[in-house]
Amino acid sequence: MGRSDGQLRLLVAAFGDPGHAFPAISLARELGRRGHEVLVETWERWREAVEAEGLSFTGAQEYTVYPPPGPDTPDGQTAAAAAKALARLMEEFEPDLVVSDILTLAPTLAAEVAGVPHATLIPHVYPVQQPGMPMYSLGMRPPRTALGRLAWRATDPLLAMGLRKGRGELNETRARLGLPPLQRFHGGISELLAIVGTLPQLEYPRDWPAHVHVTGPLFFELPGEQVEIPDGEGPLVLIAPSTSQDPECELLRVALDGLAEEPVRVLATTNRHRPERPIAVPDNALLVDWVLYSQAMPAADVVICHGGHGTVARSLAAGTPLLVSPAGGDMGENAARVAWSGAGLYVPRRLMSPRSIGLATRRLLAEPGFTIRAEEIATWSAAHDGAAAAAELVENTARDATSRLSPARVSSS
């Protein structure tokens, strides 16, 4: 287990979508820079990116995460089957700690079976509801009155029903692995260490468990060529749609239309979507296939996006206010958090139109408070390296856990 020179052996595992894989790679990279032996387990598509950072890679078995697999799910496509497949890796690699993305259940279960301590990486806002606050993912802002908090408490039985269902499904998976059932909810989140890779300015007030730490975002970006920023004197608007949602680029089309007559320069990206219908590009816009956010967001005056957490965090870390029109998943939640923080505006999908996007963009550019707030968040982000903070937590947790191992286990490593 722990090496005499202080080096740790760490397994970092993540779901394959960029919003989950990239923060895990960021953490793994930082741990590698600190001299630890790190193995990254995620989808095969990220092998080249991981190995380019000098890290070891192993391809993850892809299985159904959501909705939970049913009785007809083929063998090998469940978290239990994937956890069993990891048994040999656990035995051969002998990690001191396993860090799993919140959607990556198999390595967490495999670690528990092997008796290895495990932590959870949450690459977005904390999804556990605080009593008296809106249910996570609804995209609702917190209540401002006692009556509002009481109203949200009235939804507790409904929430409990869903949590009990989720706990039951998890315990069925645990039973297949010979693990005892859990009584607590949110059993996929470690009770040892949970790293919340978001900006604290996006977190609603709450009572924080001692093992949960908000570190700031963990940034990672694939290499690519810089694009030429459109010339001109007007403000620059970046349209940065989701990489996983809206394949027909509806937000992109609506935003280009809504900004066509505005006195702005527009840099827009399809993020490598290939829609069937061609996209009309107005004279004040440049449409590209891909753009480096590290280049474009600091140059932009407004970012228009669906509200994926990585895009939101990157924009705010650059001090650029946001216009968010969610597509699905947790995007509505992120949109509400942006609006609540004062660093942007939220246009619900049902209200998305060229006019609403144009008016909201005009307001963001006209009212300096949005930029001031985004710049305040950027100042905090510049002083708080999320990957470094997360790596330090992992180091401390792994060393504490290793020191508590039985003498028999230490001698067998």
Side-chain angles (χ1 to χ4, degrees):
M1 304 303 289
R3 263 44 67 186
S4 59
D5 60 359
Q7 183 193 53
L8 295 167
R9 189 173 292 164
L10 303 161
L11 173 62
V12 179
F15 185 63
D17 280 357
H20 292 263
F22 286 7
I25 296 172
S26 175
L27 172 60
R29 177 177 60 189
E30 178 63 25
L31 290 166
R33 288 172 176 171
R34 291 167 178 243
H36 305 300
E37 184 179 353
V38 185
L39 176 62
V40 177
E41 193 229 24
T42 187
W43 292 1
E44 190 67 31
R45 65 187 291 197
W46 305 122
R47 175 184 291 273
E48 184 178 350
V50 169
E51 293 181 343
E53 296 294 339
L55 301 168
S56 298
F57 178 91
T58 184
Q61 181 174 329
E62 299 183 25
Y63 54 89
T64 303
V65 175
Y66 187 86
D72 298 328
T73 302
D75 290 341
Q77 294 185 18
T78 66
K84 290 177 181 177
L86 285 170
R88 176 174 291 183
L89 175 65
M90 291 293 172
E91 182 179 345
E92 294 177 351
F93 185 61
E94 291 190 299
D96 296 299
L97 184 78
V98 172
V99 184
S100 286
D101 166 74
I102 190 172
L103 290 185
T104 312
L105 187 59
T108 297
L109 295 171
E112 189 171 350
V113 170
V116 176
H118 60 89
T120 303
L121 174 59
I122 303 171
H124 47 65
V125 297
Y126 191 52
V128 179
Q129 183 186 6
Q130 175 85 358
M133 298 292 278
M135 285 187 282
Y136 177 78
S137 83
L138 291 183
M140 304 291 288
R141 295 174 67 166
R144 291 175 290 180
T145 66
L147 182 60
R149 290 188 289 274
L150 183 63
W152 279 115
R153 281 185 176 272
T155 67
D156 286 352
L158 179 63
L159 175 63
M161 287 176 57
L163 291 174
R164 282 193 293 270
K165 184 174 185 293
R167 181 181 61 188
E169 291 165 347
L170 174 59
N171 282 335
E172 288 177 9
T173 297
R174 292 175 62 84
R176 296 189 188 103
L177 297 167
L179 294 172
L182 295 177
Q183 298 303 313
R184 67 184 179 96
F185 295 140
H186 303 289
I189 299 178
S190 169
E191 290 186 295
L192 182 64
L193 171 64
I195 298 165
V196 184
T198 193
L199 295 157
Q201 295 85 356
L202 297 178
E203 288 287 358
Y204 295 151
R206 64 173 303 121
D207 298 324
W208 288 97
H211 69 288
V212 179
H213 301 266
V214 179
T215 60
L218 287 74
F219 292 124
F220 176 80
E221 187 173 47
L222 294 175
E225 295 183 3
Q226 294 196 351
V227 300
E228 186 174 345
I229 301 295
D231 292 330
E233 299 296 328
L236 178 66
V237 178
L238 173 65
I239 306 174
S242 169
T243 56
S244 61
Q245 302 284 337
D246 193 15
E248 287 302 310
C249 301
E250 293 304 321
L251 173 61
L252 178 58
R253 298 173 196 275
V254 168
L256 286 171
D257 191 9
L259 299 176
E261 301 301 325
E262 295 292 321
V264 297
R265 297 170 294 143
V266 179
L267 174 61
T269 174
T270 61
N271 272 332
R272 295 177 178 156
H273 287 303
R274 300 288 186 269
E276 292 185 6
R277 292 186 295 120
I279 299 172
V281 182
D283 292 340
N284 64 342
L286 171 66
L287 179 62
V288 297
D289 189 52
W290 186 258
V291 66
L292 293 174
Y293 286 172
S294 59
Q295 174 204 5
M297 287 186 173
D301 296 282
V302 169
V303 170
I304 299 176
C305 67
H306 283 109
H309 182 267
T311 306
V312 166
R314 179 75 75 167
S315 181
L316 293 178
T320 308
L322 289 144
L323 171 53
V324 185
S325 187
D330 63 352
M331 294 175 176
E333 186 70 30
N334 295 332
R337 304 293 180 108
V338 167
W340 172 79
S341 75
L345 294 173
Y346 173 11
V347 175
R349 187 174 184 176
R350 68 183 183 279
L351 300 179
M352 185 182 72
S353 69
R355 176 174 171 78
S356 65
I357 295 297
L359 288 174
T361 302
R362 196 180 301 172
R363 181 183 170 193
L364 287 170
L365 292 171
E367 298 181 18
F370 294 109
T371 298
I372 291 171
R373 180 57 176 152
E375 289 175 344
E376 289 173 350
I377 295 173
T379 298
W380 183 93
S381 181
H384 297 81
D385 185 326
E392 184 174 348
L393 288 166
V394 168
E395 289 175 325
N396 292 339
T397 301
R399 287 171 178 146
D400 288 347
T402 300
S403 69
R404 292 195 297 269
L405 289 172
S406 67
R409 177 159 182 197
V410 173
S411 63
S412 68
S413 60

